[in-house]
């Protein structure tokens, strides 16, 4: 038994450790967390700490912070984020004689797919939005999971995976994480989503984007390289 583990299992882990780590951190962990959040929302209607966190945000509001939150909401909304995503995807497709075309399609599919999944999830859960009395603005539709959080987390994570093997990998990863957190936090600050809505949106996007990357990289192995080509790919 031990000999078989050394001969078959350990070489497999050494060769595929990156994919296994992505599967664990990007799919399995977030999937378990999203399942727990969704179950609580369906059975109990939410969490006790949701309203407490929203009240804390309401107490911290200032005109400057409100303008910043509203700007993040506009940039990360359905009128601007798709245009940004399309522009980056197009630029990736033009890079190095089209070498980054697969990266562009991955980014586009990641963000658009997360947006469509969010629409389906909201119809399924139909969670009302927070009390309008604590909200800065009023938005239509259901609350769970947050569409802004889900789309922008997908954008940040997909962008990170696109450039992860390039020299710009870490700066892009930091930007992607900060952007997802900033947009998600702005939704709580504005009072249009519960914190659990935002957390569910981020975890759902992690599952979607990580799973999509694993599938698409098997079809297009070049997705695991920098869109700038072999010369820009970190070993």
């Amino acid at each position: 038994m031990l000999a078989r583990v050394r001969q078959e299992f350990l070489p497999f882990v050494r060769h595929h450790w990156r994919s296994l780590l992505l599967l664990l951190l990007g799919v399995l962990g977030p999937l378990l967390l999203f399942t727990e959040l969704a179950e609580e929302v369906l059975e109990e209607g939410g969490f006790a700490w949701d309203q407490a966190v929203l009240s804390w945000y309401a107490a911290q509001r200032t005109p400057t912070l409100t303008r910043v939150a509203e700007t993040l909401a506009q940039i990360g909304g359905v009128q601007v984020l798709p245009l940004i995503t399309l522009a980056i995807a197009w630029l990736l497709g033009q890079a190095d004689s089209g070498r980054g075309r697969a990266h562009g399609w991955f980014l586009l599919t990641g963000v658009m797919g997360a947006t469509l999944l969010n629409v389906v999830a909201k119809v399924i859960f139909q969670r009302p939005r927070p009390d309008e009395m604590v909200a800065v603005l009023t938005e239509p539709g259901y609350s769970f999971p947050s569409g802004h959080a889900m789309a922008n987390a997908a954008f940040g994570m997909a962008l990170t995976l696109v450039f992860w093997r390039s020299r710009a990998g870490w700066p892009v990863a930091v930007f992607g994480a900060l952007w997802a957190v900033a947009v998600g936090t702005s939704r709580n600050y504005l009072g249009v989503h519960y914190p659990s809505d935002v957390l569910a949106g981020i975890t759902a996007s992690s599952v979607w984007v990580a799973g999509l990357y694993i599938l698409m990289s098997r079809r297009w192995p070049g997705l695991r390289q920098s869109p700038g080509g072999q010369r820009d790919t970190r070993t």
Side-chain angles (χ1 to χ4, degrees):
M1 181 65 178
L2 291 177
R4 177 170 294 181
V5 168
R6 286 195 297 268
Q7 293 175 4
E8 299 180 8
F9 181 71
L10 292 181
F12 173 81
V13 171
R14 283 196 296 268
H15 185 68
H16 297 284
W17 70 270
R18 289 188 178 89
S19 295
L20 292 171
L21 184 62
L22 181 63
L23 181 65
L24 177 63
L25 299 180
V27 179
L28 298 182
L31 181 60
L32 291 174
L33 180 55
F34 178 82
T35 301
E36 179 65 25
L37 292 168
E39 182 179 5
E40 188 69 20
V41 168
L42 279 175
E43 295 181 356
E44 305 295 336
F47 298 85
W49 47 266
D50 269 329
Q51 194 61 51
V53 173
L54 288 184
S55 297
W56 182 86
Y57 274 113
Q60 313 307 313
R61 287 175 185 152
T62 66
T64 299
L65 288 177
T66 299
R67 284 195 296 272
V68 171
E70 290 175 339
T71 300
L72 287 171
Q74 291 175 355
I75 297 174
V78 295
Q79 294 181 337
V80 179
L81 183 64
L83 298 179
I84 295 175
T85 304
L86 282 169
I88 296 176
W90 182 82
L91 290 172
L92 286 168
Q94 303 305 306
D96 201 4
S97 301
R99 187 186 297 272
R101 191 171 291 116
H103 298 78
W105 279 114
F106 167 69
L107 176 64
L108 192 61
T109 306
V111 176
M112 297 299 107
T115 302
L116 292 176
L117 287 173
N118 179 261
V119 173
V120 174
K122 284 187 174 182
V123 172
I124 292 174
F125 293 102
Q126 297 188 12
R127 185 187 195 184
R129 289 187 182 270
D131 190 339
E132 294 180 3
M133 295 297 292
V134 299
V136 174
L137 47 85
T138 302
E139 291 192 356
Y142 296 113
S143 189
F144 184 91
S146 166
H148 273 74
M150 197 163 174
N152 286 275
F155 175 78
M157 186 174 180
L159 204 63
T160 296
L161 291 172
V162 164
F163 289 99
W164 181 244
R165 298 299 301 277
S166 73
R167 296 171 185 173
W170 276 109
V172 172
V174 171
F175 166 78
L178 291 177
W179 178 256
V181 171
V183 173
T185 301
S186 74
R187 307 306 286 164
N188 295 151
Y189 176 91
L190 293 172
V192 293
H193 279 292
Y194 293 105
S196 54
D197 297 334
V198 171
L199 188 56
I202 292 174
T203 55
S205 278
S206 297
V207 175
W208 162 249
V209 174
L212 182 68
Y213 182 78
I214 292 172
L215 290 175
M216 289 188 66
S217 61
R218 292 179 65 87
R219 173 61 179 82
W220 294 283
L223 197 57
R224 297 184 182 275
Q225 297 180 355
S226 166
Q230 188 64 41
R231 291 177 298 177
D232 188 49
T233 300
R234 293 185 294 115
T235 58

